[in-house]
Amino acid sequence: MSLLSLEHVTASYGASQALFDVSLQVGAGEVVALMGRNGMGKTTTIKTILHMVSATAGKVTFDGHDLRNLPSHKIARLGIGLVPEGRRCFPNLSVEENLIAAARAGHWDLARVSQLFPRLGERSTQSAASLSGGEQQMLAIGRALMTNPRLLILDEATEGLAPIVRQEIWSAIAMLKHETGLAILVVDKSLKELRQIADQAVILQRGTTVWQDKMVNLTAETTDRYLGI
Ligand code: ATP
């Protein structure tokens, strides 16, 4: 059974429908890439999983729980950690305070997050607002890990970062996959890195799942057709 499952999900912003038929599955310990051109519904899919947008039809389940009936904070407590687009840390709190504010008991604590991202350990007393974009992204990932999730959702975690910092983030994601067996749903534009890390891929077009399979089966013809790459 999948850890996370979306089946034929639809969702709207008021009168404007954004998701028409989204299906995807993430198994325990699996990394799934959620792909599609701009505006195809990736972020809306993530918001629907967390019930920040309500699914109007279809099924959304996590570990057997129907997420459509739960408020966002309870969904997070079931074990879904979100790294949202745009990072969203508390700017006036220090790095350490940001991490502690999210903490729930488990494998991930301040020491382990600082091991994963040494720069966060070095800057523990600095305000989040004073961090570079890459460091803020590391803090956003650290915050999500501090909740000790079973599924981590990353929405454009490497967007707008310098190549060397992007590489640090990808290395951390690879470490999470190989050493902790965390399930990860990742939205990103870097196909090269996604190919290296993802087990499965799902492609959305106009709010509809148009392709899903093992990443190794993603051909150039398919990426050309749906992603314009
Ligand atoms: P991107 O890669 O640009 O972030 P995306 O694949 O994540 O795109 P979404 O942000 O989910 O796409 O957008 C899907 C559709 O929903 C788009 O048509 C978008 O304009 C619309 N949409 C997104 N957010 C809202 C909102 N708050 N209100 C109304 N429509 C929205």
Side-chain angles (χ1 to χ4, degrees):
M1 195 185 74
S2 298
L3 185 59
L4 174 74
S5 170
L6 277 71
E7 289 175 44
H8 307 296
V9 170
T10 66
S12 301
Y13 294 101
S16 165
Q17 190 166 353
L19 302 186
F20 292 85
D21 186 2
V22 172
S23 295
L24 67 85
Q25 277 76 40
V26 183
E30 205 170 57
V31 178
V32 178
L34 178 59
M35 300 190 285
R37 290 191 176 97
N38 287 345
M40 291 301 170
K42 303 178 297 293
T43 297
T44 306
T45 297
I46 289 171
K47 287 183 175 167
T48 307
I49 294 167
L50 273 301
H51 203 169
M52 294 146 81
V53 167
S54 295
T56 43
K59 279 192 188 168
V60 186
T61 56
F62 179 75
D63 197 23
H65 298 268
D66 178 0
L67 301 189
R68 287 184 57 191
N69 295 324
L70 292 176
S72 302
H73 69 277
K74 289 211 171 138
I75 294 173
R77 241 182 266 152
L78 288 176
I80 302 182
L82 172 66
V83 180
E85 205 175 10
R87 295 150 204 162
R88 295 202 213 116
C89 299
F90 297 116
N92 299 324
L93 296 188
S94 70
V95 167
E96 188 169 310
E97 286 164 345
N98 262 281
L99 293 172
I100 288 170
R104 287 219 323 270
H107 173 84
W108 289 100
D109 55 17
L110 280 176
R112 288 211 165 94
V113 168
S114 302
Q115 238 175 331
L116 182 67
F117 294 121
R119 292 186 198 207
L120 293 184
E122 290 157 19
R123 289 162 178 71
S124 63
T125 57
Q126 249 176 260
S127 71
S130 69
L131 298 178
S132 71
E135 288 159 0
Q136 285 186 20
Q137 189 62 65
M138 292 171 195
L139 181 55
I141 297 172
R143 275 176 57 85
L145 291 174
M146 288 292 281
T147 69
N148 278 291
R150 282 182 288 164
L151 170 70
L152 182 68
I153 301 182
L154 297 159
D155 193 359
E156 307 270 16
T158 67
E159 179 89 357
L161 302 180
I164 189 157
V165 183
R166 290 160 55 107
Q167 215 37 62
E168 274 181 66
I169 306 267
W170 283 115
S171 300
I173 298 170
M175 183 284 206
L176 292 175
K177 171 179 171 158
H178 298 298
E179 291 179 29
T180 71
L182 188 63
I184 303 175
L185 178 65
V186 54
V187 171
D188 204 280
K189 295 200 171 65
S190 324
L191 183 60
K192 186 172 151 249
E193 277 81 3
L194 288 177
R195 277 192 186 281
Q196 286 171 14
I197 203 158
D199 304 298
Q200 303 277 335
V202 176
I203 301 179
L204 300 184
Q205 190 173 45
R206 285 184 218 96
T208 301
T209 298
V210 289
W211 192 92
Q212 59 179 324
D213 201 343
K214 292 199 170 87
M215 185 53 112
V216 290
N217 295 333
L218 183 66
T219 61
E221 190 192 345
T222 305
T223 58
D224 185 48
R225 179 168 174 196
Y226 295 120
L227 307 174
I229 298 169

